[in-house]
């Protein structure tokens, strides 16, 4: 497997994967875990197993001590990982191990400070060499992303933007102009975390994004259960599930059944997004 061949003239590995899934009448599942929780060996094992269980894209959180978008569950996971000594370099090494055994698209989600401290071009180069595909930085507005874009443009790394319920329509062209991989629509105003109900008008949000970008559209934050995933999926190409999986890891950390417990939820979510039921929803 050539680790560097993760982008082609017809699109990146992320974009192609998330376009291929809806073309079959299904919806994509993007699964998030915090890298290094409970340790990096477990992260590699979890990532490989989740890919086999049905995750179409894997999102690995790079822990940061001062997050702005992470809710309590992911903050706690980041603190556990940092206390265990996880580093950016170690996480990039985990990406390389995952890529040696899987073609699943890999996205790193973190904040600007760790990337800046590592060195923008060095970070892009090392992630690309390891086989990573994308990067999400919730605290980096498009107006300030020029330096990072210049670095990622030299390598096959998608810089994936976020759109929130409060994003005004006038900003969508700027956000979508240099986007790669997919557009991440945040389902709620606030931080990550499981929610009983989500009342955002996804139809208006995703329709606005689609007017400005041909990229796949994913919705995340607050989605935990299969029925929630199906309800959201009618408006997008993929759903993102994170805190629910991180919470399972926390409850089973150190236990032999941790990987199986996470993969059961991944399979349940993917099964809900596959087949006649979601095909009917996709046609609405």
């Amino acid at each position: 497997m050539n680790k560097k061949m993760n982008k082609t003239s017809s699109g990146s590995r992320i974009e192609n994967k998330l376009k291929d899934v809806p073309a079959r009448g299904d919806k994509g599942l993007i699964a998030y875990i915090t890298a290094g929780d409970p340790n990096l060996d477990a992260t590699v094992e979890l990532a490989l197993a989740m890919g086999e269980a049905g995750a179409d894209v894997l999102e690995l959180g790079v822990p940061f001590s001062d997050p702005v978008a992470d809710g309590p569950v992911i903050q706690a996971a980041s603190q556990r990982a940092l206390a265990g000594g996880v580093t950016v370099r170690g996480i990039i090494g985990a990406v390389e191990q995952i890529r040696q055994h899987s073609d699943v698209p890999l996205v790193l989600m973190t904040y600007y400070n760790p990337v800046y401290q590592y060195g923008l071009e060095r970070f892009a180069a090392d992630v690309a060499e390891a086989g990573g595909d994308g990067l999400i930085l919730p605290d980096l507005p498009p107006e300030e992303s020029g330096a990072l874009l210049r670095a990622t443009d030299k390598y096959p790394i998608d810089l994936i933007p976020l759109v929130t319920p409060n994003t005004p329509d006038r900003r969508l062209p700027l956000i979508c102009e240099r986007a790669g991989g997919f557009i991440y629509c945040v389902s709620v105003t606030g931080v990550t975390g499981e929610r009983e109900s989500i009342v955002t008008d996804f139809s208006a949000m995703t329709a606005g994004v689609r007017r400005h970008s041909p990229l796949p559209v994913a919705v995340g934050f607050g989605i935990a259960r299969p029925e929630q995933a199906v309800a959201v999926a009618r408006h997008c190409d993929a759903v993102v599930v994170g805190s629910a999986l991180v919470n399972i890891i926390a409850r089973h950390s150190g236990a032999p059944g941790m990987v199986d417990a996470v993969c059961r939820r991944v399979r349940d979510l993917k099964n809900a997004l596959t087949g006649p039921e979601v095909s009917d929803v996709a046609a609405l």
Side-chain angles (χ1 to χ4, degrees):
M1 181 187 303
N2 187 338
K3 294 182 292 185
K4 295 183 180 180
M5 295 300 291
N6 56 357
K7 184 177 284 189
T8 69
S9 59
S10 60
S12 69
R13 180 155 42 205
I14 300 169
E15 179 184 351
N16 290 338
K17 180 68 173 183
L18 292 181
K19 285 183 174 179
D20 178 63
V21 175
R24 301 196 305 265
D26 304 332
K27 294 301 178 83
L29 174 61
I30 302 172
Y32 170 101
I33 57 175
T34 301
D37 179 39
N39 55 64
L40 285 178
D41 287 342
T43 296
V44 173
E45 183 181 5
L46 280 162
L48 293 173
M50 291 162 64
E52 291 292 329
D56 297 294
V57 176
L58 292 175
E59 198 177 309
L60 302 180
V62 179
F64 178 51
S65 58
D66 190 23
V68 296
D70 296 340
V73 170
I74 293 178
Q75 285 188 34
S78 294
Q79 289 301 318
R80 290 192 296 270
L82 290 170
V86 72
T87 64
V88 174
R89 179 62 253 178
I91 292 169
I92 293 173
V95 169
E96 185 169 19
Q97 291 182 61
I98 296 165
R99 179 59 67 229
Q100 289 172 356
H101 302 284
S102 174
D103 285 319
V104 66
L106 297 170
V107 177
L108 294 181
M109 183 170 183
T110 187
Y111 295 89
Y112 188 65
N113 185 273
V115 178
Y116 180 79
Q117 294 296 328
Y118 193 94
L120 302 184
E121 185 157 347
R122 178 181 167 223
F123 183 87
D126 286 358
V127 170
E129 177 63 25
D133 301 288
L135 180 62
I136 301 172
L137 299 179
D139 63 340
L140 183 66
E143 294 89 346
E144 300 176 19
S145 64
L148 183 58
L149 279 167
R150 286 190 291 274
T152 57
D153 279 350
K154 298 177 184 179
Y155 304 95
I157 299 293
D158 291 324
L159 191 58
I160 299 162
L162 283 81
V163 174
T164 75
N166 293 335
T167 300
D169 288 344
R170 67 179 183 275
R171 283 183 57 77
L172 291 177
L174 176 64
I175 292 170
C176 294
E177 180 182 10
R178 297 298 306 277
F182 64 93
I183 309 293
Y184 192 144
C185 290
V186 177
S187 67
V188 294
T189 301
V191 296
T192 61
E194 300 179 53
R195 286 169 171 81
E196 286 301 315
S197 63
I198 304 171
V199 296
T200 298
D201 185 352
F202 296 117
S203 179
M205 177 188 274
T206 58
V209 170
R210 292 189 196 281
R211 285 195 293 270
H212 299 286
S213 176
L215 291 173
V217 177
V219 174
F221 282 43
I223 302 165
R225 302 186 303 275
E227 62 270 22
Q228 290 177 314
V230 170
V232 171
R234 72 175 66 233
H235 306 293
C236 60
D237 303 297
V239 298
V240 186
V241 178
S243 293
L245 302 178
V246 174
N247 211 9
I248 294 170
I249 293 169
R251 292 201 307 267
H252 292 81
S253 183
M258 180 186 70
V259 174
D260 288 342
V262 172
C263 287
R264 278 196 298 273
R265 178 65 63 90
V266 170
R267 280 191 292 270
D268 288 346
L269 289 160
K270 186 58 184 177
N271 287 340
L273 297 170
T274 301
E277 181 180 356
V278 78
S279 296
D280 291 342
V281 170
L284 294 176

